[in-house]
Amino acid sequence: MRTYRFLPPLLLLAWYAGPGPAQSPEDALSEIRARPQISDEDRNLIRTFITERVTEITGENPEPARTATKTLRDGFTGSNEFKKAYANICIQVLGPACREAELVPATYLLTVLNTLNVPEARALLIEALRDKRVGVRAAAAIGLRNLRPKLAQAGGQNYTATLNALKEAGKKEKSRATLRSIYSALDYSAVPRTPDLKPDVAALLELLETRAGLYLSEQEVPALGADDLGLKVGERLLNTMTRDDRNRLTVVAATMMKYALEKYTSPARKLYEVRDKSGNRQLIEYRNAMERLVLVGEKLLVALLLPEKAPEVMTPMRKLDGSQMKLAWQEWVKLLQDKVKQDFSLVEPPESEAGEAEGEDRPSGG
């Protein structure tokens, strides 16, 4: 059995690499950084400094843009009052600029905002979750993920409205990597000072049920390969769930696992026979996505149903034995029927489909 790994595609966040050894510009704000109080004149200086850097970031030359990005990030230092003024003006200037900028500059601007990590950026990040550009949405989800401790501490609308925005964005997301970031941003299971995990459970379950509905449709599932992370988040929140919540999560996990097993053991594709050296990158990604759903789904079903002797689909999967995988799933079907009164038996494809070309189904979204 191969090692399960998820390597998300490279986002347009090139600032992580940092600019080259460019000369540092003179710090125009050095005289006011340590001040315990910031005057209107000081704020004008800060605004000018930020606006000039934003102009460089949104320009056509990439090298000044990278340098300006680093300068803006490094500029967030000084007294508490200075940092508060700096962050607020950044939000005021970067917001309109991000809406109008091209994709790469827009992601630079959002990563600057994420570096500040201030809860006041929440509204702008939520707005960016609805952007048409996947890189912008990804950066917004990462920012909201990083803000979790501060949003949990703030509580109230800061917390619940963010959960709702992430849930609604996840329902529409078509990028695998971005949906995974959204699931991460929804995971408050280990975040200190979270006031109440029930809203988190409600948002996650609604998103997962919407996603499970896609698995039941005849259409291609968008962002396929992300939902194993959603199931993991569900497992982390189990202790907060009611019996009804757990039953809902059971149906979701069974629906997704059933889909994965039907695709994985399909005679038309036999994903268990696909080798890493096959050269078909999309088919390998598709195989890995189905394997992750089976791996995570079965572990979650064990935690939810607590059977005396749990069936094991993973054991024959490791042996690349599709027939035994189906037999093991039949044992799960009996347990699920008793627990949630639904039939999750595998649907065998018509014999005519056995000759379909491999790789017709594949993960969608980047």
Side-chain angles (χ1 to χ4, degrees):
M1 187 66 182
R2 60 193 65 82
T3 301
Y4 294 87
R5 291 177 290 182
F6 177 74
L7 299 176
L10 183 63
L11 298 177
L12 295 173
L13 308 183
W15 64 277
Y16 277 115
Q23 292 183 346
S24 299
E26 183 179 353
D27 186 358
L29 304 178
S30 59
E31 294 184 1
I32 66 173
R33 288 187 182 281
R35 291 180 181 173
Q37 293 183 341
I38 302 298
S39 67
D40 289 342
E41 183 179 354
D42 296 336
R43 287 185 173 82
N44 288 335
L45 285 174
I46 296 172
R47 185 177 297 274
T48 298
F49 174 84
I50 292 172
T51 301
E52 288 175 351
R53 304 291 86 73
V54 169
T55 300
E56 292 173 342
I57 291 172
T58 56
E60 296 183 357
N61 195 326
E63 189 58 36
R66 287 192 290 269
T67 302
T69 300
K70 184 178 186 301
T71 302
L72 270 184
R73 291 165 53 207
D74 294 346
F76 187 56
T77 182
S79 68
N80 289 337
E81 286 301 310
F82 174 86
K83 292 171 68 175
K84 181 178 179 181
Y86 190 93
N88 287 338
I89 295 171
C90 267
I91 292 170
Q92 295 168 17
V93 176
L94 268 60
C98 182
R99 298 182 198 107
E100 299 176 3
E102 296 294 329
L103 174 58
V104 174
T107 58
Y108 281 178
L109 294 173
L110 281 177
T111 53
V112 169
L113 198 63
N114 292 346
T115 300
L116 306 183
N117 196 31
V118 292
E120 291 80 9
R122 182 185 67 87
L124 180 54
L125 292 173
I126 287 176
E127 177 187 338
L129 276 179
R130 299 188 290 267
D131 199 279
K132 295 180 179 180
R133 298 164 293 182
V134 62
V136 172
R137 299 196 304 273
I142 290 170
L144 290 171
R145 181 192 67 193
N146 296 342
L147 276 177
R148 285 175 300 168
K150 294 181 179 180
L151 295 176
Q153 184 176 3
Q157 283 295 309
N158 288 309
Y159 172 54
T160 57
T162 300
L163 294 175
N164 185 64
L166 288 164
K167 171 193 69 180
E168 295 302 324
K171 290 178 181 180
K172 302 173 184 176
E173 187 53 59
K174 296 181 179 179
S175 162
R176 179 173 62 254
T178 304
L179 182 55
R180 292 184 76 89
S181 294
I182 288 173
Y183 278 129
S184 294
L186 277 170
D187 184 8
Y188 280 75
S189 60
V191 176
R193 301 183 184 179
T194 300
D196 184 2
L197 284 172
K198 291 180 181 178
D200 192 16
V201 169
L204 177 68
L205 286 177
E206 186 175 331
L207 172 54
L208 283 172
E209 286 177 332
T210 299
R211 292 287 303 168
L214 298 173
Y215 285 79
L216 294 173
S217 71
E218 298 297 325
Q219 304 298 318
E220 183 178 280
V221 178
L224 189 64
D227 294 308
D228 58 288
L229 183 54
L231 296 180
K232 284 184 178 180
V233 176
E235 184 177 6
R236 294 173 193 139
L237 291 168
L238 276 182
N239 290 337
T240 310
M241 293 186 183
T242 65
R243 180 181 298 180
D244 181 63
D245 293 334
R246 293 170 68 95
N247 286 343
R248 290 169 64 190
L249 184 58
T250 299
V251 172
V252 165
T255 299
M256 293 182 176
M257 194 172 171
K258 172 179 179 289
Y259 175 96
L261 287 169
E262 286 176 348
K263 300 300 181 182
Y264 197 78
T265 61
S266 166
R269 296 167 184 84
K270 294 184 180 179
L271 293 176
Y272 52 88
E273 294 183 356
V274 175
R275 300 293 182 265
D276 289 339
K277 297 181 180 180
S278 68
N280 190 331
R281 182 181 61 83
Q282 289 183 323
L283 189 58
I284 292 171
E285 288 180 359
Y286 186 64
R287 177 206 65 192
N288 292 347
M290 297 302 97
E291 287 180 346
R292 290 196 303 271
L293 272 181
V294 174
L295 173 68
V296 175
E298 184 163 62
K299 183 174 180 288
L300 179 55
L301 287 181
V302 171
L304 285 163
L305 274 60
L306 300 174
E308 291 184 8
K309 180 174 176 56
E312 294 185 25
V313 175
M314 284 304 304
T315 298
M317 176 178 270
R318 292 189 179 97
K319 297 177 181 179
L320 309 180
D321 190 335
S323 297
Q324 289 301 314
M325 289 172 64
K326 293 179 181 180
L327 291 175
W329 180 248
Q330 288 178 9
E331 296 305 309
W332 274 117
V333 169
K334 296 175 185 176
L335 294 171
L336 290 163
Q337 178 72 44
D338 182 62
K339 181 67 174 179
V340 294
K341 312 305 180 188
Q342 292 190 34
D343 184 7
F344 293 95
S345 299
L346 301 183
V347 177
E348 296 293 338
E351 293 184 5
S352 60
E353 293 186 11
E356 291 181 3
E358 281 192 341
E360 178 181 310
D361 291 316
R362 59 181 66 107
S364 60

